[in-house]
Amino acid sequence: MEETEKKEEMNKQTDNAANSQSMNQTYGFAPDAKLKECKHCRVMIPKKAKICPNCKMRVKMGWLKKLLLILFLLVIIGAAVCGAGYYLYLYQNSSATSVTSTEVISGDNSGEDNSVKETGAEPAAESAADSDSTDATGAQDTQAKEEQTAETQTDAVKAEEPALQNETVVDKQSESDETVMPEGLLTTEQDDEQPVISLPEDKDVAEQQEDEESFKESCEQIDYKTMLRQMEEYLDKPTTIEVTVVAQIDGGLFDDNIYYLCVSEDKKGIERYYIIRDDREEKAMMILEGDVLCIYGTLFDQCRLPASVIVTRPTVPAISMKFCELLDE
């Protein structure tokens, strides 16, 4: 058997040598090239070969597969470590809670036992002491009690006399106090019926009027061109203008508020357009097309009018209207 196995190995080696020579001849391997056996077709190929020239199969693992394999192993190891740490954390918390609960229960029971023991021992000691003291000093206590009762009776009689005198003095003082105090302070009902000072209802209206007047006094007329060219200097500055309402625009320029397209003429007869946002707190007066208004407000931005409003599409100042006065209809 051993001889047959040796013969088979020799035959394999000779076959491999023959195959390597044939492969060297067919594929042109270098004569000094180190060979290895292909794991797919069992043919001797160079060690540095990544693809077998005989079966065209990949022999070496690519760097991408190696990287993916390493990442997969790292993920598995990390998951195992995290799971073990979480399990240990839960185990420690559960053991700590169990220890605290057992300590609390044992402490409560020990307190009850100690209290029971103490309460059980005290009455026995007290009863024994009482019995001994009563047997030894019974006669002496009776005599002392009789003497004490006599002394207390005399002291009580002496103490009653100044107490009666003090009561009479207090009664006289109370009567004199009642007579001196005025009638309006004797009862609390009269205090409750005192008139309540009420504030005037028109105070808020007066304050609003003062605010409106002060704001109107602070408003100044600003030239149209300077308002556009030097807008940053005049932002949020109180201004007043006299304009004619051309149309009402229901939102869409800056926000959803109500806007009015207004126009005014300068000294040269050129029409100047304004966009007025209605920011009045009390919108009692309805504004209609053709109304001539004196507007008090502040400059907050500039707006390029859409072609649907004016064909020329000019850039006009946008003013926040705080108050307005109707000059003509």
Side-chain angles (χ1 to χ4, degrees), residues 215 219-220 236-241 295-299 319-323:
F215 183 80
C219 291
E220 298 177 357
D236 298 330
K237 186 175 182 179
T239 181
T240 178
I241 53 173
I295 293 174
Y296 302 93
T298 56
L299 178 69
I319 296 174
S320 171
M321 180 174 61
K322 307 296 182 182
F323 307 100

Side-chain angles (χ1 to χ4, degrees), residues 204-205 208 212 278-285 322-324:
D204 295 337
V205 177
Q208 290 178 1
E212 182 177 353
D278 195 354
D279 290 336
R280 295 177 295 168
E281 293 182 358
E282 295 182 358
K283 300 179 182 179
M285 185 183 70
K322 307 296 182 182
F323 307 100
C324 68

